Amino acid sequence: MSVVEQYARAHIVSDVDISEDEAVPVVLRYDPDTDPRSVRVGLPGTHDEWTFSRSLLEQGLRAPVGSGEVRVWPCGRVQAVVEFHTPQGVSVVQFDTKALLRFLRRTYMATASPVTS
């Protein structure tokens, strides 16, 4: 099976004065050979990659889910928020829901069994 990697534009929500139109590149990854139940999100400017349940991401597009380090919830009709907690603070990232749905669809296609006749 192949690794799925997708770049998405997202907004980092912060108390720092940032233009609303300033989106940053975020890397979404899925490796079915390493961990078929998890997805990874790489934020810009950090060497960290967050790994969490693919089902958490999917459920969070419909209703608020999560506790502990990662939380996901819908934000209106076209956006979703992913919140990452560390002892140093919280990173709140706002995505277009379409980008996350496209990524999830690609992850399920990567794990689909080939049909044989």
Side-chain angles (χ1 to χ4, degrees), residues 9-114:
R9 307 275 308 154
H11 294 273
I12 307 293
V13 180
S14 155
D15 57 359
V16 177
D17 188 22
I18 298 175
S19 166
E20 277 189 38
D21 293 330
E22 190 174 332
V24 296
V26 175
V27 180
L28 306 169
R29 286 190 181 95
Y30 173 72
D31 186 347
D33 294 329
T34 301
D35 188 353
R37 293 189 175 115
S38 296
V39 294
R40 296 180 289 173
V41 176
L43 300 178
T46 67
H47 298 288
D48 295 333
E49 230 180 22
W50 290 85
T51 302
F52 57 97
S53 165
R54 179 170 63 169
S55 64
L56 178 82
L57 180 59
E58 184 175 17
Q59 292 169 14
L61 297 179
R62 293 186 301 271
V65 295
S67 62
E69 294 183 345
V70 180
R71 299 174 187 162
V72 183
W73 69 89
C75 182
R77 295 177 60 194
V78 297
Q79 295 181 324
V81 172
V82 182
E83 190 176 271
F84 302 102
H85 292 256
T86 68
Q88 294 76 33
V90 178
S91 295
V92 179
V93 185
Q94 189 173 24
F95 290 90
D96 285 339
T97 302
K98 283 183 188 180
L100 296 177
L101 286 170
R102 185 172 39 253
F103 173 68
L104 285 169
R105 194 170 26 248
R106 291 180 65 209
T107 68
Y108 286 111
M109 288 174 31
T111 56
S113 301

